[in-house]
Each structure stands twice: as structure tokens, then as C-alpha cells.
């Protein structure tokens, strides 16, 4: 990680003539996220051990997603990577719905013969996930159904002495700037969804951590042995140390993420892959490393699988 930071920023500040291959820097940045994810996971796990399981899951989800926020903000600010960000959001949702629960069940099942989960808490989480998926994709679906399209045909060719041959005709969406449906309806819908999603998140937090906290912290679904092993006595770091490590790791990742975004376009061109494929795989899995590690740790401790 320190080597990556030195290679990325020292030449720009001290040795402008030295320039490292962008693909090599991108690979080093990707590898550097591993120790950062480890320390973020350690700090979150230790902090969660000193709180309730509900607060532990909230801290894991909130600060585990801060990496994606940093990367996506840098990509949008960099310009020309909107398709990459859209694909990354889709890949992140797929990893949250499929990859992370699947890995947690696999590793937890290897260690424990039987694992229990709180169906009420899992139901709340499923509803929140459904709301996020609907809110994220509703403007796109609405524009695809009701947006204006134009019939575009390939040019007709008339060879000498032959019959006139015309190519296929396809319905294609018109440009956003000239589409009245997009400007009058889709744009306001995007802002409405962007406002409602954070509100839904806050309402979900109030429901699970305040008004109905007994659902998440139901003693019927909490293993007393896991609580004894991973409670305040089992925490490796104090709350202050957890906070300092967490903030420091996120700050370092901000620099690593900025360099990843600066080198991802040359890397995509070198690998001959599209922004969509890179977003669905590379940029969605690397930031989720902290959440994957934390979820596996929760499953191995048999705290509750639905966190």
C-alpha cells in the first residue's frame, strides 16, 4: 500500500520525468485495497463487538459502503466514466443479493452444522433491498418504455444491373436533449428517487435500531456463546482505536481510489474490455472486499447470519 502511494504520487510531486505504466499502477492499487479492507473489517468487527448486533450491522453496512461512495464520486468527477459507475452500482447490488450472502452461508456452514437467522430482521432487510433496486432502476425502465424512439434504417444499395437492397431498420431512442419525455418526466423522477432512497434508508434505521430494535436483537436468534466470545471482553481494540483505524484506512483508500480511477481507462483499453464489464466485475468487487470479509467473519462467529 505504501509502495503504491509512493509510485502514484511522488513522481508527480518530485520526479515529473518518471512515469509508471497505468496498468501496473491499477493492479497495485487493487492489491493495496486488501490490507485496507482488512483493517476496516477489523475495526468494524471490534467496534461491533462492543455494541448490539443491530448497531454492528449498521456500522458494517454504512462504513463498508464508504469505499464505493469514494470510488463512484471520483469516477463521476473524472468524467467519461458514467457507464462504468452505472454498471458498478448494478454489480454492487448483485454482490449484496447473491455473493455476500452465499459466501457467508458457505463459510458458516463449513464451521457450524446448523445456523439460525432472524426471519423478521431478514424480511426488513429484503424490503429495504427491494426498495433500493426499484428506486435505482425505475427511471431507466420508465425512459425505456415511454421515451421517444426513431426508426433508423441502413442505407439502401443499388448495384449496377441488380435489385435495390436495403438494410435492416431498428427503433433507436432519440438523444436525451431532444426527448421531451426524458426532460419533462424522467429527470424529475430521477431526483425524486434520489431523495426518497436516503429517506427510506433513515426510516429503515429508525425501525431496526429504535422503534423495533427488539426484532434485530431477539434473544431467540442470538447465540450466547458467540456473544461471550465476541462481546466487549473479546474486542481486540478499544472504541477510540477502532475509530482512528477506520478513519485512517478510509482516508488512505481515498488516495488509492483516486489513483484507481485515473488508471482504469488505460487498463480497460489494455485488456480490451468494456466499461460495463469492468464495472460489473472489477469496480464492484474491489470496494466490496471489506463487506465480504466482515460478513464472513460474522458467519464464522455464528453471531447471526442475517447481518
Amino acid at each position: 500500500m505504501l509502495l503504491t502511494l509512493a509510485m502514484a504520487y511522488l513522481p508527480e510531486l518530485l520526479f515529473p520525468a518518471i512515469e509508471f505504466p497505468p496498468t501496473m499502477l491499477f493492479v497495485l492499487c487493487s492489491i493495496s485495497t486488501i490490507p485496507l479492507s482488512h483493517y476496516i473489517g477489523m475495526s468494524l468487527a471490534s467496534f461491533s463487538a462492543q455494541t448490539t448486533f443491530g448497531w454492528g450491522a449498521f456500522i458494517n453496512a454504512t462504513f463498508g459502503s464508504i469505499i464505493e461512495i469514494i470510488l463512484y464520486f471520483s469516477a463521476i468527477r473524472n468524467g467519461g466514466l458514467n457507464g462504468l459507475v452505472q454498471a458498478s452500482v448494478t454489480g454492487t447490488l448483485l454482490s449484496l443479493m447473491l455473493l455476500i450472502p452465499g459466501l457467508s452461508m458457505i463459510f458458516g456452514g463449513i464451521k457450524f452444522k446448523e445456523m439460525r437467522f432472524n426471519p423478521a430482521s431478514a424480511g426488513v432487510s429484503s424490503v429495504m433491498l427491494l426498495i433500493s433496486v426499484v428506486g435505482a432502476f425505475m427511471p431507466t425502465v420508465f425512459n425505456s418504455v415511454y421515451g421517444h424512439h426513431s426508426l433508423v434504417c441502413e442505407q439502401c444499395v443499388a448495384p449496377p444491373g441488380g435489385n435495390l437492397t436495403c438494410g435492416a431498420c431498428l427503433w433507436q431512442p432519440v438523444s436525451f436533449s431532444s426527448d421531451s419525455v426524458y426532460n419533462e418526466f424522467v429527470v424529475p423522477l430521477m431526483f425524486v428517487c434520489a431523495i426518497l432512497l436516503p429517506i427510506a434508508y433513515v426510516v429503515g434505521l429508525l425501525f431496526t435500531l429504535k422503534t423495533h430494535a427488539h426484532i434485530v436483537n431477539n434473544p431467540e436468534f442470538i447465540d450466547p456463546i458467540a456473544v461471550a466470545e465476541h462481546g466487549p471482553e473479546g474486542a481486540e481494540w478499544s472504541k477510540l482505536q477502532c475509530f482512528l483505524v477506520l478513519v485512517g484506512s478510509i482516508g488512505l483508500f481515498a488516495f488509492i481510489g483516486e489513483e484507481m480511477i485515473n488508471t482504469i481507462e488505460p487498463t480497460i483499453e489494455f485488456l480490451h474490455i468494456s466499461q460495463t464489464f469492468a464495472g460489473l466485475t472489477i469496480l464492484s468487487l474491489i470496494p466490496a472486499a471489506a463487506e465480504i470479509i466482515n460478513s464472513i467473519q460474522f458467519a464464522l462467529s455464528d453471531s447471526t447470519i442475517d447481518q
Side-chain angles (χ1 to χ4, degrees):
M1 181 187 64
L2 296 177
L3 176 64
T4 303
L5 291 173
M7 295 176 63
Y9 292 99
L10 284 182
E12 182 179 347
L13 299 175
L14 303 177
F15 310 104
I18 300 178
E19 185 176 355
F20 295 100
T23 304
M24 182 184 69
L25 287 176
F26 181 82
V27 172
L28 289 176
C29 289
S30 302
I31 297 174
S32 299
T33 61
I34 298 176
L36 288 174
S37 299
H38 170 72
Y39 282 110
I40 290 175
M42 289 286 293
S43 60
L44 290 175
S46 294
F47 193 88
S48 301
Q50 302 173 65
T51 59
T52 63
F53 288 111
W55 278 105
F58 160 68
I59 294 170
N60 177 40
T62 302
F63 287 95
S65 301
I66 197 69
I67 296 177
E68 286 100 324
I69 295 175
I70 294 172
L71 276 180
Y72 299 161
F73 178 79
S74 300
I76 293 175
R77 187 182 63 178
N78 194 57
L81 296 174
N82 292 340
L84 182 72
V85 175
Q86 291 174 356
S88 300
V89 172
T90 304
T92 301
L93 290 174
L94 291 176
S95 66
L96 290 175
M97 290 187 292
L98 302 175
L99 180 63
I100 294 179
L103 289 177
S104 301
M105 294 176 187
I106 290 174
F107 283 93
I110 291 175
K111 184 176 180 180
F112 300 100
K113 181 179 178 180
E114 179 181 352
M115 298 186 70
R116 307 176 66 195
F117 71 94
N118 187 337
S121 178
V124 174
S125 301
S126 300
V127 171
M128 296 295 296
L129 184 60
L130 178 62
I131 292 174
S132 64
V133 172
V134 172
F137 291 102
M138 182 181 293
T140 301
V141 174
F142 184 90
N143 185 72
S144 299
V145 175
Y146 297 103
H148 291 156
H149 293 71
S150 60
L151 187 63
V152 179
C153 298
E154 296 181 4
Q155 186 176 3
C156 297
V157 179
N163 296 326
L164 184 66
T165 303
C166 295
C169 295
L170 300 174
W171 285 99
Q172 296 182 355
V174 301
S175 63
F176 291 147
S177 58
S178 58
D179 189 355
S180 59
V181 173
Y182 174 80
N183 293 299
E184 295 179 11
F185 299 100
V186 178
V187 172
L189 180 61
M190 287 192 293
F191 282 102
V192 169
C193 292
I195 294 173
L196 290 180
L197 287 177
I199 294 177
Y201 181 67
V202 173
V203 171
L205 291 180
L206 290 175
F207 182 87
T208 55
L209 302 178
K210 183 69 175 178
T211 60
H212 293 73
H214 59 280
I215 292 179
V216 178
N217 299 312
N218 189 342
E220 182 182 354
F221 301 99
I222 297 179
D223 187 353
I225 299 178
V227 173
E229 292 180 353
H230 301 275
E233 307 84 18
E236 296 190 22
W237 298 334
S238 65
K239 290 184 178 181
L240 177 60
Q241 188 176 357
C242 292
F243 177 77
L244 294 177
V245 172
L246 182 63
V247 172
S249 299
I250 291 175
L252 289 174
F253 192 91
F255 289 100
I256 296 290
E258 184 74 21
E259 188 61 26
M260 284 184 64
I261 296 302
N262 293 335
T263 57
I264 193 170
E265 282 190 285
T267 303
I268 290 175
E269 295 177 1
F270 176 79
L271 297 176
H272 302 290
I273 60 177
S274 63
Q275 288 192 12
T276 302
F277 181 80
L280 287 172
T281 56
I282 300 174
L283 205 64
S284 62
L285 292 179
I286 291 176
E291 294 176 85
I292 294 174
I293 293 173
N294 293 340
S295 300
I296 292 175
Q297 288 177 343
F298 278 129
L300 290 176
S301 67
D302 197 24
S303 301
T304 53
I305 195 172
D306 56 294
Q307 292 197 33

